[in-house]
Amino acid sequence: MRTKWSLALKLIAVTATAIAVVLVLSNAVLVLVTKNRIEHLTIQQAKLEAARLANDISAEMTALSTPTSTMAALIGQGREKDYLDRAAVIDMLRATAQANIVFSSWFMEEPNAFDGRAVEFKGNTSLGSATNGAFSPTWTKPGGTLSMAPVALDYNAEYYRVASKSRQGHLTEPYVWVDAHGTFLLSTISYPVVSSDRLIGVTGMDVDLTALSAKLGAQRPFGSGRVYVISQAKQWIVAPSSDQTTRIYDELGQKELSEAISEQTTGVVEDVEVAGVTYTRVLLPFEVPGLNTRWVVCVDVPTSVIASAVNEQITLMVSAGLFVVFIIALVLFATTRIMLARPIGRLVKFVEVLAVGNYSDSSPDTRRSDEMGAVATALEKLRHALIQGERAETEATNVREANARERATAEAARAEALEEQRLVVRVVGEALKDLAHGDLTCRIHEEFRGEYTELRVNFNSALSSLEETIRMVGRGVNHINAGIEEISSSATDLARRTEMQAVGLEESAAAMAELTEQVLASATRASAAATSVSAATIDAVATGDIVGCAVHSMESISQSSLEITRITGIIDEIAFQTNLLALNAGVEAARAGDAGKGFAVVAQEVRELAQRSAAAAKDIKVLISSSAKQVQEGVGLVGQAGHALSRITAQITAINENVKQISVVADEQSVGLKSISGSINQMDQVTQQNAAMVEETTAASVSLRDEARLLSEAVSRFNLSENRGKEEAIQQRRVA
């Protein structure tokens, strides 16, 4: 049987499709990676180109700023050593202004700071002096011819203000200058001039950026790329069109431009469209050396440059992939034709032979070591299995007939066993029914056959054991009832006597507790009295000591009074002697006549002073004598008070000893009563516990009696052999 799609064709189609898919996916990944790599390399090349241009611009600006910086340093040093005058500075400016791209060279002094001769040179334009005498020469070359004139003084202009305040070089933002000779793009380089750490002015030059703009605008990186320059204030220096020069950058990528200027990082802006062409813009910031200014070089890379390289790579990969798929499909076709199609055809023919029941031919390709050989071997095993199956089918028919005969014999035996089982179930069920009604005398008397005989014996033995157990339980219950009755009666009597004992002990404990509290209160009051008497004794002893000190102080005061009396006598004698001396001085002054009048007055004053001292000494002596008598009397009274306090102290000490003994005895009595009261309380508690225990015992005996009654009733439900004998004897006596 031929098929429309053979296995080989399907295998070739699947394999070719899988390879094609793999190639497509791998090429897609490679194209993506290649595209990213080409873009990365192109951007890196653009960055290198931008760095090269930045270095060129920096070199040109350095070539311009270095002469200006040198000139500022020379002017400052010349003024510091006073060998440089106005004419020399004008000559230096003239030499600087001769450079090709220099539009003008100038110097502007601080007010009267260059040489202090502003008034002297006022209006002297040949020496670069303004109308107010300020030194501000400027060399310009309109039309290529140098000319010098004073510059207009504008200290607030950017070129002067920034350089003077920062004391560093400065490059202004580019601006457009228009005069009779044309339109120029200028930027001013300025440096401060410092002499002896003092700012004396600012010098600089105006640089013509027109040539630089034209040079950079002519650059064409990557064939059709563009190069631009942007200032620190985001103004176009080299712009896409001439009308955009010095305007603010307002195109795509303003954020990247701000980051490039502020953070000095290279920025990349994609899909920038200029004049209908799409570019990838690289923004590279760079420092203008020595001028404290940062510019940005823009390199626009055409997107078509990157796309063309990617397209070439895609074309190459697709062509190579198609060629590989064709070769692989051709090899697969030849291989499957030889290794699959022909062996499978032989196997199909062999299976068709087996299907018609011909098991005589062997399977082909059984000697192959591949999957075809394994399939051929399996088909050979299938052929042998089919042969054995025919044989087994014959044997199975014989076996089925023998099994039918055995099943008939077994069916008869099973019916007989089922009848025996019904008999056993009926007899055992009747015995269990009697047992459920409490009849323990029931037994199985029918004879069972086979294994059921052991069941009858075990059932009868179990009932005999159960009957004996119930009989023993009944006798035990009767004995328990008798014992419980005696225990209940004894427990009731004991509970009554224990309760009476507990009441008596409770009353004794209450009386003893009241007595203990009274003795304890007495002991407490005795202890408090002893404490008070002890404090009084201490105070009395302290008072006696104070009185002794007072007596000693009085004696010291008496001694001091005697000493004061003696000193007062001495003062009296001194006053008497002074009075005599003053009298003698008055006599001698009187003898001296007029020359001694002054001395006589002094002598008179001394004498009066001596008399007053003598009178005061007498008064003091009288007062001291009176005080001495009073102190003597006070000493006597204090001594008497001291003797009285000594006696009181002795009496208080005796009272304190007696109170201490009373307190000790009261404490001992209180301790003894506490011990007795504790013992009685303990006995009361034990008695209460005994009473509670007796009550619990009584309750337990009552509960046990009830349980025994219930157990006796439960045992009486069973019918025992001895009970049956008694019942039959009673019935016989009744009949008789």
Side-chain angles (χ1 to χ4, degrees):
M1 181 181 66
R2 298 188 59 83
T3 58
K4 184 177 181 180
W5 289 94
S6 63
L7 183 62
L9 292 178
K10 293 180 180 179
L11 180 62
I12 293 171
V14 171
T15 305
T17 303
I19 294 173
V21 171
V22 171
L23 288 175
V24 169
L25 293 177
S26 61
N27 285 337
V29 174
L30 289 175
V31 167
L32 180 61
V33 173
T34 304
K35 179 177 180 297
N36 294 333
R37 183 62 178 169
I38 291 173
E39 289 180 354
H40 178 71
L41 293 176
T42 305
I43 297 300
Q44 291 297 323
Q45 186 177 354
K47 290 180 180 180
L48 293 175
E49 183 68 19
R52 183 186 64 79
L53 295 173
N55 291 332
D56 293 344
I57 297 172
S58 298
E60 292 188 13
M61 299 306 295
T62 301
L64 295 174
S65 63
T66 300
T68 306
S69 174
T70 304
M71 183 172 60
L74 291 175
I75 294 174
Q77 187 176 6
R79 288 310 307 158
E80 181 179 353
K81 297 183 179 181
D82 200 19
Y83 66 80
L84 194 66
D85 57 6
R86 298 192 177 202
V89 173
I90 291 173
D91 291 339
M92 293 173 62
L93 294 173
R94 186 176 186 279
T96 306
Q98 291 178 356
N100 291 329
I101 63 174
V102 175
F103 189 79
S104 63
S105 179
W106 50 269
F107 174 82
M108 184 186 297
E109 72 163 329
E110 281 283 292
N112 203 24
F114 179 76
D115 54 6
R117 302 170 64 184
V119 177
E120 180 181 350
F121 293 101
K122 185 182 297 185
N124 190 347
T125 58
S126 61
L127 289 178
S129 300
T131 55
N132 61 352
F135 184 47
S136 56
T138 301
W139 283 97
T140 59
K141 51 179 180 181
T145 303
L146 285 172
S147 62
M148 191 272 295
V151 72
L153 299 174
D154 187 2
Y155 294 107
N156 292 323
E158 178 188 357
Y159 59 85
Y160 189 93
R161 172 175 47 81
V162 176
S164 62
K165 288 184 177 181
S166 64
R167 298 292 180 93
Q168 295 178 354
H170 177 66
L171 179 64
T172 64
E173 288 295 314
Y175 55 93
V176 177
W177 177 267
V178 180
D179 60 10
H181 300 282
T183 301
F184 304 94
L185 178 64
L186 304 181
S187 182
T188 302
I189 300 174
S190 58
Y191 277 89
V193 179
V194 180
S195 177
S196 300
D197 294 331
R198 182 174 64 91
L199 181 69
I200 64 173
V202 175
T203 185
M205 63 174 62
D206 298 329
V207 181
D208 186 5
L209 300 179
T210 306
L212 177 63
S213 177
K215 177 182 176 182
L216 294 176
Q219 296 284 338
R220 290 292 180 270
F222 305 100
S224 59
R226 305 292 295 271
V227 176
Y228 310 114
V229 180
I230 303 173
S231 70
Q232 186 168 335
K234 301 181 182 180
Q235 293 183 6
W236 287 106
I237 299 175
V238 179
S241 59
S242 59
D243 58 344
Q244 290 180 305
T245 305
T246 69
R247 289 186 182 180
I248 298 296
Y249 181 90
D250 58 354
E251 297 182 5
L252 187 65
Q254 295 187 32
K255 178 182 177 182
E256 288 79 1
L257 178 60
S258 300
E259 291 178 355
I261 295 173
S262 60
E263 300 177 9
Q264 203 170 359
T265 57
T266 304
V268 178
V269 185
E270 296 181 353
D271 299 330
V272 178
E273 187 174 345
V274 179
V277 181
T278 303
Y279 296 92
T280 296
R281 179 166 292 173
V282 177
L283 303 173
L284 178 69
F286 68 96
E287 294 284 347
V288 180
L291 296 176
N292 197 25
T293 303
R294 188 175 297 161
W295 285 359
V296 177
V297 174
C298 298
V299 176
D300 283 356
V301 182
T303 307
S304 58
V305 173
I306 302 174
S308 60
V310 174
N311 292 332
E312 292 177 0
Q313 187 69 21
I314 292 174
T315 302
L316 178 62
M317 290 181 178
V318 170
S319 301
L322 293 176
F323 180 74
V324 169
V325 170
F326 175 76
I327 295 300
I328 292 175
L330 185 62
V331 172
L332 281 175
F333 178 78
T335 302
T336 54
R337 185 70 179 172
I338 297 172
M339 300 181 66
L340 289 178
R342 293 176 182 176
I344 289 175
R346 290 193 296 269
L347 290 176
V348 169
K349 291 180 180 179
F350 178 71
V351 171
E352 291 176 350
V353 171
L354 291 178
V356 298
N358 185 5
Y359 306 140
S360 60
D361 295 335
S362 300
S363 175
D365 299 323
T366 55
R367 295 182 180 181
R368 293 173 64 106
S369 59
D370 54 5
E371 287 79 0
M372 292 300 174
V375 172
T377 303
L379 290 175
E380 183 66 19
K381 292 179 180 179
L382 176 62
R383 185 176 70 85
H384 290 292
L386 291 174
I387 295 172
Q388 293 177 0
E390 287 182 347
R391 296 173 183 173
E393 185 177 359
T394 303
E395 294 176 357
T397 302
N398 298 329
V399 170
R400 281 196 299 271
E401 293 176 354
N403 290 337
R405 290 191 296 269
E406 292 178 359
R407 279 198 300 272
T409 304
E411 192 69 27
R414 190 162 48 250
E416 185 179 357
L418 182 60
E419 185 65 25
E420 182 66 21
Q421 183 179 2
R422 289 196 185 98
L423 175 63
V424 171
V425 170
R426 180 178 58 78
V427 172
V428 173
E430 291 176 354
L432 290 176
K433 184 177 180 181
D434 294 338
L435 179 62
H437 288 87
D439 187 6
L440 298 180
T441 60
C442 64
R443 299 291 186 273
I444 298 176
H445 302 288
E446 288 80 357
E447 293 294 332
F448 294 158
R449 288 181 298 178
E451 297 178 353
Y452 297 112
T453 302
E454 186 176 358
L455 174 62
R456 181 180 65 80
V457 173
N458 292 335
F459 182 82
N460 293 334
S461 299
L463 282 180
S464 299
S465 299
L466 179 60
E467 182 181 8
E468 183 64 25
T469 301
I470 296 298
R471 185 181 296 111
M472 293 175 64
V473 170
R475 288 196 296 268
V477 168
N478 293 330
H479 292 304
I480 289 171
N481 281 328
I484 287 172
E485 291 294 337
E486 294 179 0
I487 291 172
S488 178
S489 177
S490 300
T492 303
D493 295 339
L494 179 60
R496 185 173 60 256
R497 289 193 297 271
T498 303
E499 186 177 0
M500 294 173 62
Q501 184 182 1
V503 172
L505 282 174
E506 186 177 2
E507 293 176 354
S508 300
M512 184 59 68
E514 185 177 358
L515 179 59
T516 301
E517 290 178 357
Q518 293 175 358
V519 172
L520 182 60
S522 299
T524 304
R525 288 193 291 272
S527 179
T531 303
S532 301
V533 171
S534 298
T537 303
I538 294 171
D539 292 340
V541 173
T543 305
D545 294 337
I546 293 171
V547 170
C549 293
V551 171
H552 186 268
S553 298
M554 288 293 181
E555 291 177 353
S556 299
I557 292 170
S558 178
Q559 293 294 330
S560 299
S561 299
L562 294 176
E563 198 64 30
I564 291 171
T565 303
R566 186 180 62 79
I567 294 171
T568 304
I570 294 172
I571 292 173
D572 192 11
E573 291 177 359
I574 292 172
F576 177 73
Q577 292 295 331
T578 303
N579 192 11
L580 289 178
L581 291 174
L583 182 60
N584 292 331
V587 173
E588 292 297 330
R591 288 178 181 177
D594 294 334
K597 287 181 179 181
F599 190 70
V601 174
V602 174
Q604 181 65 28
E605 293 293 332
V606 171
R607 186 171 60 187
E608 291 178 357
L609 181 60
Q611 290 176 355
R612 287 198 300 272
S613 297
K618 288 180 180 181
D619 294 337
I620 292 171
K621 185 181 293 183
V622 172
L623 293 174
I624 291 300
S625 298
S626 177
S627 297
K629 292 179 181 180
Q630 295 174 358
V631 168
Q632 191 66 31
E633 293 175 357
V635 169
L637 293 175
V638 171
Q640 294 176 5
H643 292 304
L645 284 174
S646 297
R647 291 192 299 274
I648 293 171
T649 304
Q651 294 173 0
I652 290 173
T653 302
I655 294 170
N656 186 25
E657 293 296 330
N658 293 330
V659 172
K660 283 184 178 179
Q661 293 179 1
I662 293 171
S663 176
V664 171
V665 172
D667 289 338
E668 293 176 353
Q669 292 177 354
S670 176
V671 171
L673 288 174
K674 280 184 178 179
S675 177
I676 295 170
S677 178
S679 300
I680 292 175
N681 288 330
Q682 188 175 5
M683 291 175 62
D684 185 20
Q685 293 176 359
V686 172
T687 303
Q688 295 290 343
Q689 293 175 356
N690 290 337
M693 190 183 304
V694 169
E695 291 179 358
E696 293 176 357
T697 304
T698 303
S701 63
V702 172
S703 176
L704 185 60
R705 183 177 60 190
D706 295 338
E707 293 295 332
R709 181 177 56 79
L710 294 174
L711 184 59
S712 179
E713 293 177 356
V715 171
S716 65
R717 292 177 59 249
F718 292 99
N719 187 12
L720 304 177
S721 59
E722 58 184 12
N723 295 337
R724 174 174 292 185
K726 293 179 181 179
E727 291 177 356
E728 291 177 353
I730 292 171
Q731 289 178 359
Q732 291 176 0
R733 284 196 299 269
R734 288 178 180 177
V735 171

